Amino acid sequence: MKEKKGSMLKKWFMPYFVIHKRVVIIDLLCASLTTIAELVLPMLVRRITEIAVNNIAELTVRVILEMAALYAFLKGIDMLAGYYMIYVGHTMGVKIEKSMREDMFSHLLRVPLSYYDSTKVGQLMSRITTDMFDVAEFSHHCPEEFFICGLKLIVSFAVLASINLPLTLVSFAMLPLMLFGTLYFRRKMHEVFKARRVIAGDVNARTETSLLGIRVIKSFTQEKHEEKLFKEESTKLSETQKASYRYMARLNSVVRFFDGMMYVVMILMGGMFILKGKITTADYTAYLLYDAMLIAAIKRIVEFIEQFEKGLTGIERFAQVMEVENEKGYSETKQLEKVEGEIEFKDLTFSYGDEKDDVLEHVNIKIKKGENVAVVGPSGSGKTTMCSLISRFYEVSDGEITLDGKNISSLELSSLRNAIGMVEQEVYMFSGTVYENILYGNPCASREDVVEAAKLAGAHEFVMNLPNGYDTFIGERGTMLSGGQKQRISIARVFLKNPPVLILDEATSALDNKSEQIIKKSLETLAKGRTTLTIAHRLSTIKNADRILVLTENGIEEQGSHEELLKLGGIYYRLYNNL
Ligand code: ADP
Ligand code: MG
């Protein structure tokens, strides 16, 4: 377990950390400078006490001033060093946080879609924000605090041992006890904090799914139900929060116990030593001051352990994301030159996971260049899945898909995806302007191209009627547009992309009749000269397809033109006549 953590840190944290080694070194130097003043203070007090006890006449104003000046000088250094530690030290943490956050986001863009089938986006959001912040704090404080504590231990041991060895040995013997006592609780606390993190992410995720569905909630008047669901997550969170504080309190009590023990021993042994004349008053004073400093140092470490735990948990969760493998195909080098658009499914079998049933089994389809093929079939028969496979959103389980005779899994991903345009039932709008949303189809396009694409998609007219035309800001997810308008923008996007292969997956299913008629026309224009795969559940919309495939759970059961299939009197015939 420990080894695993070590290699995790080495792999996922050190590369970000070592870049800043210069800052770390100066930071540690500053840390030593700030401890000097603290370490010198007991010596000064000891000296004053010594002079006062031995010969009060020697304690002149000059001596006192000298000492005060020395201490003031050291404190001045302490101030400057402290400034560096807090400002530059934290800035280093911020830089580390920034690169890790950006790497994580870039990675999230490249993991396979299947990862998102089983991951809550809310969880990922808290990883990118809260977790990375904790890592920043960790990267700066962890080396610093341990270094300061170590330094204080070593120096005070050396000084104290030179004053009185037995007393020093006894008090230092208690420190490991203190440490082991805390270690046990530390481990417990780590587990609870980890659980707390996961649950905090769940609360995020709950908030996200609920509020994104606010329209549904309101229309079904399910506020109470959502409240109940939220309350469940929220209660779970507060329970683990409570548990985490319970462990923190226990840890704290252990520290206080040892702290008390230390003073009891000091009073007992120190008193006896003074009684027997084995230690001077001045030394004893210095002793007490050093002990107070040591206890404070250990307490600080224990307090920081909470932060270190959080940082470690954050790194662990960062590693979990980063260890998800990238989508295959980024490393392929085979680029598609000029795409003709001939698609073939060769004995294709696919399932969404090893344990899941096959969605498609031994499917064979050949779509010629420029052909317009429609797929019909009951819901759940795997039509959308077929589309996803052509774009290689998922990896086929068996068999292969070829584009222009080349196995798509041998092609570089972006060159494959650039060749395919998709219009789906659900349209996603990025928060931004209409113009930006269309430009998404081809970021290099000119303004004229965008307007031209919008005209072809039948979007130009309504866009011009928006308050700011193309520069109208459409709310998050395009809430300001109707379904048909959004669909027209998504079609404009594909016009702009101008791909040789077109996939229309229930593109008009969610629309009313009138919108459907308008959009059907744009889609027909769009399909011209492209290999097109149309999926529709309203059979009237696909009558004109060159070929219709009927997909059922048994695979492609029938195929042919509309007339041929009707003559056949099979599944298509029954579907078409609503039998
Ligand atoms: P269609 O588009 O024909 O209605 P789909 O291709 O969406 O059907 O779904 C085919 C089958 O695959 C269904 O049984 C569905 O439950 C399953 N399925 C679809 N998407 C996923 C997914 N991301 N993970 C697991 N199973 C899925
Ligand atoms: Mg579907």
Side-chain angles (χ1 to χ4, degrees):
M1 184 66 201
K2 206 160 221 166
E3 215 163 84
K4 232 175 91 193
K5 202 163 274 173
S7 67
M8 176 197 74
L9 278 179
K10 199 167 148 208
K11 185 161 177 211
W12 294 114
F13 178 66
M14 285 324 259
Y16 296 96
F17 186 67
V18 290
I19 307 173
H20 303 283
K21 53 181 178 299
R22 206 173 58 104
V23 176
V24 176
I25 291 168
I26 302 178
D27 191 76
L28 293 185
L29 197 75
C30 288
S32 359
L33 290 177
T34 57
T35 37
I36 293 179
E38 229 177 311
L39 287 165
V40 164
L41 185 66
M43 304 307 288
L44 291 177
V45 175
R46 179 183 177 219
R47 183 86 196 108
I48 294 181
T49 322
E50 213 169 48
I51 301 172
V53 169
N54 292 344
N55 186 359
I56 192 82
E58 276 178 30
L59 193 63
T60 57
V61 174
R62 191 191 154 84
V63 171
I64 293 173
L65 276 180
E66 267 173 17
M67 285 194 190
L70 172 66
Y71 190 69
F73 173 69
L74 291 177
K75 265 293 172 190
I77 294 178
D78 169 76
M79 216 177 77
L80 292 176
Y83 181 86
Y84 183 92
M85 278 162 68
I86 292 194
Y87 179 58
V88 185
H90 275 105
T91 309
M92 173 191 84
V94 167
K95 285 182 188 156
I96 292 177
E97 180 188 354
K98 179 172 183 283
S99 0
M100 287 175 86
R101 183 172 60 213
E102 288 170 2
D103 285 357
M104 172 139 73
F105 184 73
S106 302
H107 186 66
L108 283 173
L109 292 178
R110 286 170 179 79
V111 297
L113 268 185
S114 55
Y115 178 70
Y116 291 95
D117 292 342
S118 55
T119 310
K120 297 176 187 156
V121 173
Q123 281 282 0
L124 295 175
M125 274 157 62
S126 74
R127 284 184 196 210
I128 275 201
T129 52
T130 332
D131 285 0
M132 289 304 102
F133 172 72
D134 292 339
V135 174
E137 285 293 286
F138 169 87
S139 50
H140 149 58
H141 282 295
C142 186
E144 199 176 280
E145 297 295 335
F146 277 111
F147 180 76
I148 292 178
C149 184
L151 198 68
K152 283 181 181 167
L153 280 174
I154 293 168
V155 175
S156 51
F157 184 82
V159 176
L160 292 180
S162 74
I163 299 174
N164 188 310
L165 195 59
L167 202 53
T168 312
L169 289 180
V170 171
S171 55
F172 271 75
M174 297 185 64
L175 294 178
L177 279 180
M178 195 170 188
L179 215 68
F180 284 120
T182 55
L183 261 173
Y184 172 77
F185 288 94
R186 192 194 98 116
R187 200 151 295 149
K188 284 270 178 210
M189 215 170 86
H190 179 62
E191 283 160 25
V192 185
F193 268 99
K194 210 160 128 183
R196 178 176 151 173
R197 223 35 112 60
V198 174
I199 295 169
D202 284 342
V203 172
N204 255 351
R206 184 79 253 160
T207 314
E208 199 206 1
T209 54
S210 294
L211 296 186
L212 284 180
I214 189 76
R215 284 179 67 90
V216 185
I217 296 176
K218 283 189 188 290
S219 86
F220 284 91
T221 59
Q222 288 294 340
E223 289 88 346
K224 289 246 153 48
H225 172 69
E226 290 297 323
E227 255 163 27
K228 198 174 130 251
L229 290 180
F230 186 79
K231 210 166 184 165
E232 272 167 25
E233 298 289 353
S234 162
T235 310
K236 262 193 245 159
L237 178 60
S238 67
E239 290 298 327
T240 40
Q241 277 172 323
K242 259 197 270 180
S244 68
Y245 289 123
R246 191 160 56 238
Y247 283 106
M248 229 167 107
R250 283 184 194 168
L251 186 65
N252 190 273
S253 300
V254 173
V255 176
R256 279 166 194 266
F257 169 77
F258 283 107
D259 158 339
M261 288 281 287
M262 194 100 152
Y263 279 113
V264 170
V265 170
M266 281 309 297
I267 295 169
L268 269 178
M269 279 189 75
M272 293 306 239
F273 276 41
I274 292 182
L275 196 68
K276 299 234 166 94
K278 286 191 176 155
I279 192 170
T280 66
T281 326
D283 286 348
Y284 186 59
T285 319
Y287 232 101
L288 280 179
L289 285 172
Y290 271 123
D291 264 350
M293 185 194 76
L294 277 181
I295 288 168
I298 298 263
K299 271 192 197 164
R300 192 169 159 85
I301 279 290
V302 171
E303 265 169 37
F304 265 98
I305 280 174
E306 191 207 336
Q307 202 161 22
F308 299 156
E309 295 297 357
K310 279 200 206 159
L312 275 179
T313 317
I315 296 174
E316 229 170 297
R317 286 168 43 116
F318 174 75
Q320 274 171 9
V321 171
M322 297 305 282
E323 271 166 10
V324 177
E325 266 189 55
N326 265 352
E327 219 173 346
K328 294 195 188 93
Y330 280 107
S331 50
E332 306 294 345
T333 47
K334 204 181 210 172
Q335 299 278 340
L336 279 171
E337 291 298 324
K338 193 166 157 5
V339 185
E340 299 291 334
E342 187 187 87
I343 299 170
E344 191 171 356
F345 284 56
K346 290 185 182 161
D347 200 30
L348 181 109
T349 299
F350 174 77
S351 80
Y352 277 102
D354 293 338
E355 301 96 51
K356 302 225 172 82
D357 290 341
D358 288 342
V359 177
L360 300 170
E361 260 177 339
H362 305 290
V363 173
N364 285 288
I365 306 172
K366 189 164 179 174
I367 305 174
K368 290 194 290 284
K369 176 192 172 189
E371 196 180 9
N372 186 349
V373 172
V375 181
V376 299
S379 151
S381 56
K383 302 179 300 292
T384 300
T385 305
M386 259 175 63
C387 301
S388 306
L389 291 177
I390 298 175
S391 287
R392 206 179 168 193
F393 287 157
Y394 296 88
E395 296 293 320
V396 301
S397 315
D398 211 9
E400 62 178 45
I401 299 176
T402 61
L403 178 59
D404 291 353
K406 294 173 201 118
N407 188 340
I408 58 165
S409 51
S410 70
L411 299 173
E412 199 263 328
L413 260 191
S414 58
S415 99
L416 168 70
R417 289 183 184 160
N418 282 338
I420 301 165
M422 273 193 157
V423 181
E424 291 171 296
Q425 183 174 346
E426 289 271 333
V427 181
Y428 188 86
M429 293 280 139
F430 293 95
S431 131
T433 62
V434 173
Y435 177 75
E436 285 162 351
N437 267 287
I438 298 179
L439 195 67
Y440 211 80
N442 176 12
C444 307
S446 67
R447 187 138 184 134
E448 289 74 50
D449 292 340
V450 170
V451 175
E452 183 56 34
K455 279 183 183 156
L456 288 170
H460 183 68
E461 221 164 288
F462 87 80
V463 172
M464 289 316 282
N465 284 330
L466 292 173
N468 293 317
Y470 283 88
D471 297 316
T472 308
F473 191 83
I474 40 178
E476 201 178 354
R477 294 185 176 220
T479 35
M480 282 173 47
L481 301 175
S482 75
Q485 290 172 332
K486 275 194 271 192
Q487 194 57 285
R488 272 176 265 176
I489 289 184
S490 89
I491 293 168
R493 252 185 216 164
V494 180
F495 266 114
L496 202 60
K497 184 176 183 181
N498 194 19
V501 178
L502 184 64
I503 294 173
L504 309 173
D505 186 1
E506 313 249 11
T508 57
S509 300
L511 305 177
D512 55 277
N513 251 328
K514 189 163 160 269
S515 302
E516 185 179 2
Q517 291 316 316
I518 302 172
I519 284 175
K520 224 180 108 187
K521 274 206 198 85
S522 325
L523 288 177
E524 274 162 16
T525 325
L526 183 61
K528 234 166 251 158
R530 305 176 209 268
T531 307
T532 309
L533 188 66
T534 310
I535 290 161
H537 69 239
R538 279 184 218 147
L539 301 189
S540 57
T541 50
I542 48 140
K543 266 196 292 197
N544 300 329
D546 299 331
R547 194 149 48 105
I548 298 169
L549 309 176
V550 182
L551 182 70
T552 69
E553 53 188 22
N554 304 319
I556 307 284
E557 286 214 62
E558 294 172 4
Q559 56 175 303
S561 69
H562 177 67
E563 284 74 25
E564 285 167 359
L565 288 176
L566 280 185
K567 240 179 261 156
L568 202 65
I571 305 168
Y572 185 81
Y573 176 82
R574 286 198 294 277
L575 280 173
Y576 189 74
N577 292 303
N578 274 330
L579 292 175

